[in-house]
């Protein structure tokens, strides 16, 4: 190259740099007014981002027309980063880090519901102009469109995200989960399998596939996928949490507890793990343990997590700490991550306290934030029905059915309203309409899903179970026992995994003296849902009334083995041994095991203490009453029974001590 040619190239490069800078200034001036109107506090960030966008568009033309300069090479790297959606910071004018920050702001706006929906949509559109092939932005925009009912636009964005990152599992995984939610099981399975094929150690993809299997009644496949996720990432908190939930449903509380503990240790910011762990403890009657888990989670998550605050509020509600519960409910509603469920739970809490006007206000505030939310409207239905405002109930149910006439539950609720008002033919028509709509929904799902239809069909059909029960009950009231049996049988064939209809049918046969048929139905129900307390309790009580003590005992043994944390089963078993068989050693053994497994059940401690009192073991009874009285919330009947024992067998000083405790709570 001659010296003259080199100088010519250098001059051309200098002009290119100057032209780039002028274009950047022009772009900044042209967009500033628009950004001031659109995004207020984000003006500066958007100005910088749009400059980079302009550079990305014009840079390549400038670079390849002239000799490359350092500025042009930098422009090329910015263009590549924006187009490919890389996550690394490049240090150029804020670079990709700036785009990520704007993306995060858009997602936060989207999560705030309908209040900021238009603004979030506009912001995502601007982000896509900046990075049209950015996979994360495409995925977030797709989810935003889906949340707002624009499913065709969402699907197009998902496809674009997969095309933009064909070798990255997250896009395929997100698209698969979205298809699964919409009921397109075959498409969902194909996409999720593609995700794990692309990246066999990508834990979120295996986790999504596991949830797909679990939600369709395939626990073994789900567990294998969760284990695959943990092989790829031993500290994947969502998979640890879901495995813990599976263990807790099987009754293996210790194993579940270990998994939950590991989940929150590896990721202290994973709120769902705290919620699941505390919920398990609460269902097991361990309120203090649940509160401890929720407090730990709230302290770990400095920004607050709505579902966690809500779960803690529900614990305090059950412990009758009204003001603490109300404060937590309010915090959960005010939290950015809150959902309509927070308004539902808080409103129901106030309604239980008799504050119907306050509950109504909370529900309506929730509807202002989450318009036409079904759960909020249903809560208003229950509130108006409680107030005997049947016209209001009918109006709300009509609104719900106008929104979705396929909703079986709403037809059932309308049928129950007509039953209460004595409109029996209209009630029957509503129940039949609910069944008809459920069948139509099932057929549509089957036609969509092909090979995956059978599992979906079974899950969908269970929604019509209450309608079959209601129709059978109406036939039974009319004295049409054969019609009632036919309706029960039809319901069981349609909803084979629904234990409720089997329990109702067993009760129907028991009331008519057909005890063998009732036994068969209880046994079938125990296979369907072995941890359901009502099955074992009703079966055992039937055998007791028939004086089949051994059969009743076997029901309690099997029931407590399958559902060890159900205190009422232990209580009734102990009562059986103490009163019907007079086997005091056996009764004592049952009570001892019961209070170990159901530590925070005050009625169980009271039952055990009264048993020891009847046996003349006053010191042991006093110790048991003392332990039971330390449980929160205090069980007033326990204190009254303790005071009665001290009045008969104790000293005046002991009695006065109990009276002081009782009076402090009574006041």
């Amino acid at each position: 190259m001659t010296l003259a040619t080199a100088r010519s190239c250098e001059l051309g490069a200098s002009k290119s740099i100057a032209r780039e800078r002028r274009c950047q200034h022009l772009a900044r001036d042209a967009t500033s007014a628009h950004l001031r109107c659109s995004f207020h506090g984000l003006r500066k960030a958007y100005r910088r981002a749009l400059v980079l966008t302009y550079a990305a568009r014009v840079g390549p033309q400038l670079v390849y027309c002239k000799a490359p300069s350092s500025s042009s090479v930098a422009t090329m790297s910015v263009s590549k980063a924006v187009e490919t959606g890389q996550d690394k910071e490049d240090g150029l004018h804020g670079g990709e880090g700036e785009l990520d920050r704007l993306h995060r702001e858009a997602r936060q706006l989207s999560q705030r519901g309908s209040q900021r929906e238009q603004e979030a949509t506009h912001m995502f559109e601007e982000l896509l102009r900046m990075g049209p092939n950015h996979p994360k932005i495409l995925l977030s925009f797709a989810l935003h469109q889906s949340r707002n009912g624009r499913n065709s636009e969402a699907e197009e964005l998902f496809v674009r995200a997969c095309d933009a990152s064909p070798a990255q599992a997250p896009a395929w995984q997100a698209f698969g989960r979205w298809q699964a939610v919409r009921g397109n099981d075959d498409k969902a399975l194909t996409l999720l399998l593609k995700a794990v094929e692309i990246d066999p150690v990508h834990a979120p993809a295996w986790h999504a596939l596991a949830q797909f299997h679990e939600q369709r009644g395939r626990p073994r496949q789900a567990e294998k996928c969760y284990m695959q996720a943990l092989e790829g990432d031993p500290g994947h908190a969502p998979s640890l949490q879901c495995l813990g939930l599976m263990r807790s449903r099987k009754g293996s509380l210790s194993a579940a507890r270990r998994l939950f503990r590991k989940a929150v240790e590896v990721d202290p910011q994973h709120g769902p793990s705290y919620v699941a762990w505390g919920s398990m403890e609460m269902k097991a009657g361990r309120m203090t343990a649940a509160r401890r888990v929720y407090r730990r989670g709230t302290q770990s998550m400095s920004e607050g997590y709505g579902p966690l605050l809500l779960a803690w509020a529900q614990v305090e509600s059950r412990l009758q700490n009204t003001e603490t519960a109300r404060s937590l409910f309010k915090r959960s509603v005010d939290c950015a991550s809150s959902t309509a469920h927070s308004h539902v739970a808080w409103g129901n809490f106030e309604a239980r306290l008799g504050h119907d006007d306050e509950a109504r206000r909370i529900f309506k505030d929730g509807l202002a934030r989450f318009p036409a939310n079904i759960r909020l409207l249903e809560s208003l239905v229950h509130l108006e029905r409680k107030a005997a405002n049947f016209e209001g109930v009918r109006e709300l149910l009509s609104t719900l059915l106008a929104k979705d006439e396929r909703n079986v539950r709403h037809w059932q609720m309308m049928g129950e309203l007509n039953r209460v008002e004595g409109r029996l033919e209209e009630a029957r028509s509503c129940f039949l309409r609910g069944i008809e709509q459920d069948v139509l929904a099932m057929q549509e799902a089957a036609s969509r899903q092909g090979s995956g239809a059978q599992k979906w069909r079974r899950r969908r059909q269970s929604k019509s179970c209450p309608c079959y029960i209601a129709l059978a009950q109406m036939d039974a009231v009319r004295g049409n026992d054969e019609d009632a049996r036919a309706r029960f049988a039809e319901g069981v064939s349609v909803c084979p995994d629904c234990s409720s209809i089997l329990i109702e049918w067993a009760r129907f046969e028991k009331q008519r003296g057909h005890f063998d048929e009732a036994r068969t139905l209880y046994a079938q129900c125990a296979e369907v849902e072995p941890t359901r307390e009502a099955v074992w309790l009703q079966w055992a009580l039937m055998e007791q009334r028939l004086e089949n003590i051994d059969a009743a005992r076997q029901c309690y043994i099997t029931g407590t083995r399958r559902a060890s944390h159900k205190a009422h089963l232990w209580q009734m078993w102990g009562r059986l041994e103490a009163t019907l068989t007079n086997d005091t050693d056996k009764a004592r053994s049952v009570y001892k095991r019961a209070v170990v497994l159901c530590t925070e059940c005050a009625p169980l401690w009271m039952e055990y203490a009264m048993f020891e009192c009847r046996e003349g073991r006053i010191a042991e009874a006093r110790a048991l009453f003392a332990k039971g009285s330390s449980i929160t919330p205090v069980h007033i009947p326990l204190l009254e029974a303790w005071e009665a024992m001290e009045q008969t067998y104790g000293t005046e000083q002991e009695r006065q001590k109990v009276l002081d405790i009782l009076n402090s709570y009574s006041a």
Side-chain angles (χ1 to χ4, degrees), residues 80-97:
K80 184 177 180 182
V82 173
E83 289 179 0
T84 59
Q86 297 172 3
D87 294 327
K88 297 179 181 179
E89 294 241 356
D90 57 15
L92 299 170
H93 311 292
E96 184 67 15

Side-chain angles (χ1 to χ4, degrees), residues 379-451:
S379 298
L380 272 174
V381 167
H382 294 308
L383 189 65
E384 299 300 344
R385 187 164 58 190
K386 175 185 171 185
N389 180 13
F390 296 132
E391 288 303 318
V393 172
R394 190 174 296 278
E395 182 179 347
L396 287 165
L397 286 174
S398 298
T399 302
L400 285 166
L401 287 170
K403 283 177 60 63
D404 181 12
E405 68 172 5
R406 293 289 178 87
N407 193 303
V408 182
R409 175 174 167 76
H410 298 157
W411 283 112
Q412 181 230 336
M413 293 167 73
M414 184 67 90
E416 294 294 347
L417 173 65
N418 286 321
R419 279 180 76 182
V420 170
E421 293 186 324
R423 304 177 180 181
L424 299 183
E425 290 306 317
E426 292 181 36
R428 181 179 294 275
S429 175
C430 288
F431 294 135
L432 290 171
R433 186 73 183 276
I435 293 171
E436 175 189 343
Q437 295 299 329
D438 193 46
V439 169
L440 289 173
M442 173 196 66
Q443 290 172 348
E444 287 184 3
S447 64
R448 277 201 310 269
Q449 294 160 270
S451 62

